[in-house]
Amino acid sequence: MAGAVASYRRFLSSHSTQGGAMKSVGMRFIYVMVFLACQVPHAWAHAKLVRSDPSARAILTRAPSVIQLWFNEKLEPAYSSAELRDGAGTLVSTEKAAIAPSNAKQLMLKIPSLAGGEYVVQYRALSVDGHIAESSFRFFVRARP
């Protein structure tokens, strides 16, 4: 973009004999370029977790069989992952997380039967724009009497 602005400035200086009208056009061009540049960050947004099942800090009376994570952007299947650990940090999930067949923004992790206790979902999502989002959240399963 800096190159385009510099080229346009050279164009304006070579046609400076036309006076204020060209400067006015130049200012409009700069305003339009600044406006467009301000719009670009929306296209550069990273994948962001928008919801999950179970949700963060949920206290469940029944353990889920699948962890589901929904993101705001399509994910790259080869580089997106999730795992489940217990409260002590021991890996609980043995299967690899997969993108849902019907939704490229959804990551699913099948998990084994869970006992009561604290669990941590750790995920890594690579969106199709090439940016990685990594984070984790906890949920709890109440022990059955």
Side-chain angles (χ1 to χ4, degrees), residues 71 75-82 96-99 107 124-127:
F71 294 87
L75 303 175
E76 283 291 335
Y79 300 102
S80 298
S81 62
K96 184 177 178 185
I99 304 294
L107 191 60
R124 180 175 197 246
L126 177 66
S127 61

Side-chain angles (χ1 to χ4, degrees), residues 1 31-43:
M1 184 166 132
Y31 289 141
V32 169
M33 294 304 287
V34 168
F35 174 78
L36 291 175
C38 290
Q39 303 302 311
V40 171
H42 297 290

Side-chain angles (χ1 to χ4, degrees), residues 9-139:
R9 285 184 179 161
R10 281 193 299 271
F11 171 78
L12 286 177
S13 67
S14 67
H15 294 84
S16 64
T17 58
Q18 296 177 359
M22 289 301 286
K23 289 182 181 175
S24 177
V25 171
M27 289 304 294
R28 288 184 190 153
F29 174 78
I30 291 171
Y31 289 141
V32 169
M33 294 304 287
V34 168
F35 174 78
L36 291 175
C38 290
Q39 303 302 311
V40 171
H42 297 290
W44 292 345
H46 304 335
K48 182 178 177 183
L49 182 67
V50 292
R51 69 183 170 111
S52 65
D53 185 22
S55 60
R57 298 184 305 270
I59 300 173
L60 307 173
T61 55
R62 192 171 137 202
S65 59
V66 177
I67 304 292
Q68 299 181 81
L69 308 167
W70 287 271
F71 294 87
N72 64 336
E73 294 186 8
K74 292 181 180 177
L75 303 175
E76 283 291 335
Y79 300 102
S80 298
S81 62
E83 61 185 25
L84 181 66
R85 295 184 179 271
D86 65 17
T90 304
L91 185 64
V92 173
S93 56
T94 56
E95 294 200 24
K96 184 177 178 185
I99 304 294
S102 61
N103 185 354
K105 298 178 181 179
Q106 182 183 0
L107 191 60
M108 300 174 62
L109 176 65
K110 292 181 182 176
I111 56 174
S113 178
L114 300 177
E118 178 184 11
Y119 294 91
V120 179
V121 176
Q122 295 177 321
Y123 62 88
R124 180 175 197 246
L126 177 66
S127 61
V128 292
D129 69 359
H131 292 98
I132 296 172
E134 289 181 279
S135 191
S136 64
F137 63 89
R138 297 176 186 276
F139 70 91

